[in-house]
Amino acid sequence: MRVFVTGATGFIGSAIIPELINAGHKVIGLARSDAGARSLVEAGAQAHRGDLEDVESLRSGAAMSDGVIHCAFIHDFSKYQENCEIDRRAIEVLGSALASSGRPLVVTSGTAGLAPGRLGTEEDAFIPGFPRVSEQAGDSVAERGVRVSAVRLPPSVHDRSKHGLVTMMIALAGEKGISAYVGDGLNRWPAVHRLDAAHLFCLALEKGSANARYHAVAEEGVPLREIAEVIGRRLNVPVVAKSPEEAADHFGFLAFFVGVDAPTSSAQTQERLGWRPTQTGLIPDLEHAEL
Ligand SMILES: NC(=O)c1ccc[n+]([C@@H]2O[C@H](COP(=O)([O-])OP(=O)(O)OC[C@H]3O[C@@H](n4cnc5c(N)ncnc54)[C@H](OP(=O)(O)O)[C@@H]3O)[C@@H](O)[C@H]2O)c1
């Protein structure tokens, strides 16, 4: 397949390229800079110049492909709602270019949209009002004859260099001189290694069913206290419990995430796609992380 990948220069997208090439596909990656285009060519992909807000570049990239993986996102959290809207429009454009063809489109979503406090599954819809609407945008495109599936990523997609929201917890701990968790710290986050996540994107493209949600979850729930403890050890700062009332002041916008209990299953994903995560877990990765 010729696969158009947006976000191909990013942390996860750059791991998807070798997955696809090793599986025999050709990759066309979206690049918005000369440096990005060069890195794609060095990785064995073809570079397609464009931007998430340049509709024609998305349309032409999708039109020349047999399938699309959409991983790009503008990570400016001060404009999160606006960037979710850009994401929605990008999915509609990519989907229009694939309409009536049955070609696959894999969009990126997150487990953070699931209701907290119980084991989240692939069957669960998002809590009402959750701002990231890639799944809804995918559903509207699926009605037009596109095989759309969504890969839900956990808050920490990790390797030794980066760890999603845990990278932000590390930065905060360095800045404030303490590594904190909320309450008893037994609340949990799911996690996945970047290479396992990349493999799942490839399987979803090849074998995913229309309207399916897949969970890139290798560990159902890592207690936040364990995460805070390893950060404290590695940075040599005290590990401190914050009450829910103190959390907002300490963590800012991260407070909601650090306090949430969000165990998540990937049993259906593993059964349906034969996906088996094999890489290092979050805590061992953090033990050896490049801090
Ligand atoms: N990493 C995690 O732990 C995690 C967790 C949950 C969900 N996710 C989601 O997974 C996806 C990939 O995340 P990531 O960690 O790989 O992010 P990343 O490393 O920040 O990469 C973002 C990608 O999007 C591209 N991009 C940003 N703004 C763009 C624009 N205006 N036009 C075109 N491309 C643009 C970037 O291109 P440049 O290289 O040119 O900047 C890069 O390729 C995102 O949808 C993200 O929200 C990630």
Side-chain angles (χ1 to χ4, degrees), residues 156-193:
S156 182
V157 180
H158 57 86
D159 67 6
R160 288 185 182 187
S161 68
K162 286 189 184 175
H163 339 280
L165 291 188
V166 176
T167 300
M168 295 184 192
M169 289 177 68
I170 294 169
L172 195 68
E175 190 187 307
K176 301 218 168 186
I178 55 169
S179 177
Y181 56 88
V182 181
D184 61 11
L186 296 180
N187 60 305
R188 296 151 292 172
W189 276 3
V192 71
H193 192 281

Side-chain angles (χ1 to χ4, degrees), residues 63-119:
M64 70 170 101
S65 73
D66 304 305
V68 175
I69 295 177
H70 172 53
C71 235
F73 193 82
I74 304 172
H75 284 129
D76 173 354
F77 291 103
S78 69
K79 296 181 183 163
Y80 189 58
Q81 198 92 31
E82 202 177 301
N83 294 333
C84 289
E85 182 56 23
I86 292 170
D87 184 46
R88 186 185 63 74
R89 284 202 299 268
I91 291 168
E92 285 174 0
V93 172
L94 293 167
S96 302
L98 301 175
S100 308
S101 67
R103 281 179 282 174
L105 166 62
V106 184
V107 303
T108 304
S109 182
T111 62
L114 300 172
R118 63 185 183 84
L119 188 69

Side-chain angles (χ1 to χ4, degrees), residues 7 9-12 32 51-52 71-73 75 108 132 153-154 157 164:
T9 53
F11 178 59
I12 298 166
R32 57 181 180 141
D51 190 280
L52 278 177
C71 235
F73 193 82
H75 284 129
T108 304
R132 188 136 180 188
L153 294 168
V157 180

Side-chain angles (χ1 to χ4, degrees):
M1 260 192 248
R2 275 162 71 84
V3 186
F4 180 46
V5 182
T6 74
T9 53
F11 178 59
I12 298 166
S14 60
I16 292 174
I17 297 176
E19 274 293 331
L20 290 170
I21 291 176
N22 289 339
H25 304 295
K26 291 202 175 349
V27 180
I28 306 162
L30 183 69
R32 57 181 180 141
S33 66
D34 290 343
R38 268 197 306 279
S39 73
L40 292 179
V41 171
E42 281 163 15
Q46 181 187 329
H48 180 73
R49 288 302 290 263
D51 190 280
L52 278 177
E53 294 180 89
D54 173 357
V55 168
E56 181 48 30
S57 70
L58 297 180
R59 198 204 58 73
S60 57
M64 70 170 101
S65 73
D66 304 305
V68 175
I69 295 177
H70 172 53
C71 235
F73 193 82
I74 304 172
H75 284 129
D76 173 354
F77 291 103
S78 69
K79 296 181 183 163
Y80 189 58
Q81 198 92 31
E82 202 177 301
N83 294 333
C84 289
E85 182 56 23
I86 292 170
D87 184 46
R88 186 185 63 74
R89 284 202 299 268
I91 291 168
E92 285 174 0
V93 172
L94 293 167
S96 302
L98 301 175
S100 308
S101 67
R103 281 179 282 174
L105 166 62
V106 184
V107 303
T108 304
S109 182
T111 62
L114 300 172
R118 63 185 183 84
L119 188 69
T121 77
E122 291 85 342
E123 311 273 280
D124 294 331
F126 273 14
I127 46 177
F130 191 74
R132 188 136 180 188
V133 288
S134 47
E135 295 185 11
Q136 291 97 311
D139 289 345
S140 71
V141 159
E143 289 167 8
R144 297 160 65 189
V146 186
R147 181 163 57 87
V148 186
S149 60
V151 170
R152 289 174 174 165
L153 294 168
S156 182
V157 180
H158 57 86
D159 67 6
R160 288 185 182 187
S161 68
K162 286 189 184 175
H163 339 280
L165 291 188
V166 176
T167 300
M168 295 184 192
M169 289 177 68
I170 294 169
L172 195 68
E175 190 187 307
K176 301 218 168 186
I178 55 169
S179 177
Y181 56 88
V182 181
D184 61 11
L186 296 180
N187 60 305
R188 296 151 292 172
W189 276 3
V192 71
H193 192 281
R194 168 183 180 245
L195 299 182
D196 284 325
H199 185 53
L200 180 59
F201 273 98
C202 192
L203 291 175
L205 178 92
E206 292 173 338
K207 307 201 280 186
S209 306
N211 300 106
R213 276 59 163 139
Y214 297 114
H215 283 185
V217 168
E219 294 178 277
E220 281 191 358
V222 183
L224 264 291
R225 183 172 178 157
E226 281 184 34
I227 296 172
E229 284 171 350
V230 70
I231 294 171
R233 268 199 308 281
R234 293 297 317 282
L235 294 183
N236 200 19
V237 296
V239 180
V240 174
K242 293 279 179 190
S243 69
E245 296 72 34
E246 294 167 328
D249 187 42
H250 180 79
F251 287 108
F253 89 97
L254 271 181
F256 164 76
F257 295 101
V258 179
V260 83
D261 184 38
T264 308
S265 164
S266 61
Q268 293 177 25
T269 300
Q270 298 203 34
E271 188 191 321
R272 290 177 188 161
L273 295 182
W275 178 67
R276 298 282 178 273
T278 58
Q279 302 290 328
T280 318
L282 175 60
I283 298 295
D285 248 354
L286 293 174
E287 293 282 9
H288 299 99
E290 302 147 15
L291 297 186

